[in-house]
Amino acid sequence: QVQLVESGGGLVKPGGSLRLSCAASGFIFSDYYMNWIRQAPGKGLEWVSYISSGGSSIYYADSVKGRFTISRDNAKNSLYLHMNSLRAEDTAVYYCARESPLIVGGTDAFDIWGQGTMVTVSS
Amino acid sequence: SYVLTQPPSVSVAPGQTARITCGGNKIGSKSVQWYQQKPGQAPVLVVYDDSDRPSGIPERFSGSNSGNTATLTISRVEAGDEADYYCQVWDTNNSHPLFGGGTKLTVL
């Protein structure tokens, strides 16, 4: 079935680095834009980054620009988020989400989400 | 920058109708999505393009959008509808999505 599975979260010290992965299955991964969206404990959803289907177009939230790098490997059906210079405020569950228009000509929505991976930044 | 405003909480008795609002400047000119998130789970898309439902979402979930307010309506509320609900639009200026702060729906 259509599925996204994140991995790579954990405990890291401030200033440290971490790489998150998202494995896709059940759909043609290379056809879709992909996003990382995070949720701090007890807080709402915050968009982090986006990458186009071929990887040529990338955007970041201002809060992570210059520190995080999104990438994808369509041959491996995988999405990545490289996180450097981590701060306490980056502590959150990180979700990968598929972006898709559900109808032709419609607005994109996040129609498939992974289960999330927890990143904790603490000394 | 564009801001989406949701009430922090809404309470409703089982069988009644819940209405969750999402306010934004001229939000009626944008397309609104709604996501349901139950505790410990990932969000699930329940309404897209203001009022359409993805496959598998009950007809009890409906949406509307006009002026400065979008509304998610849940009819015949069930205990299983208890969750956080988030509205989302696209900030076309910055080409990225914006989420509302979320509304916790409590079924009394």
Side-chain angles (χ1 to χ4, degrees):
Chain A
Q1 74 277 25
V2 175
Q3 196 174 355
L4 296 170
V5 178
E6 301 94 337
S7 60
L11 175 64
V12 60
K13 289 182 169 53
S17 299
L18 211 56
R19 188 186 84 155
L20 305 183
S21 300
C22 172
S25 60
F27 65 98
I28 302 174
F29 179 70
S30 58
D31 281 353
Y32 291 88
Y33 299 171
M34 296 297 296
N35 290 256
W36 287 99
I37 296 166
R38 68 185 181 183
Q39 186 172 35
K43 302 297 185 182
L45 300 172
E46 179 190 16
W47 171 79
V48 173
S49 183
Y50 146 97
I51 187 167
S52 61
S53 53
S56 61
S57 181
I58 287 173
Y59 293 100
Y60 298 99
D62 288 343
S63 58
V64 306
K65 200 173 295 182
R67 300 187 299 121
F68 289 12
T69 302
I70 191 172
S71 62
R72 65 190 297 163
D73 185 336
N74 286 341
K76 294 183 177 179
N77 293 331
S78 293
L79 175 72
Y80 306 101
L81 187 67
H82 299 255
M83 304 185 295
N84 295 322
S85 303
L86 282 162
R87 307 166 180 167
E89 54 265 35
D90 295 318
T91 294
V93 175
Y94 284 73
Y95 296 101
C96 63
R98 188 178 82 171
E99 180 184 326
S100 175
L102 276 77
I103 56 175
V104 175
T107 301
D108 284 7
F110 301 112
D111 65 337
I112 303 295
W113 297 65
Q115 86 289 352
T117 187
M118 182 70 203
V119 172
T120 302
V121 184
S122 175
S123 55
Chain B
S1 61
Y2 197 79
V3 176
L4 295 174
T5 301
Q6 296 183 237
S9 63
V10 168
S11 299
V12 64
Q16 299 303 304
T17 297
R19 294 179 179 83
I20 299 172
T21 59
C22 177
N25 185 36
K26 299 180 182 177
I27 195 173
S29 66
K30 297 180 179 293
S31 180
V32 179
Q33 284 59 245
W34 290 93
Y35 301 86
Q36 174 194 67
Q37 186 180 32
K38 296 181 179 179
Q41 297 184 21
V44 172
L45 178 68
V46 294
V47 167
Y48 66 95
D49 284 338
D50 295 339
S51 59
D52 290 329
R53 285 183 312 278
S55 172
I57 301 301
E59 291 183 7
R60 300 185 298 104
F61 289 81
S62 63
S64 62
N65 185 17
S66 178
N68 293 320
T69 305
T71 303
L72 174 68
T73 301
I74 309 172
S75 304
R76 303 181 300 283
V77 166
E78 303 172 356
D81 298 330
E82 193 162 277
D84 293 327
Y85 291 86
Y86 295 90
C87 59
Q88 177 255 314
V89 300
W90 290 91
D91 183 332
T92 50
N93 287 336
N94 295 308
S95 300
H96 66 75
L98 293 169
F99 291 95
T103 298
K104 181 176 180 58
L105 175 66
T106 299
V107 181
L108 300 170

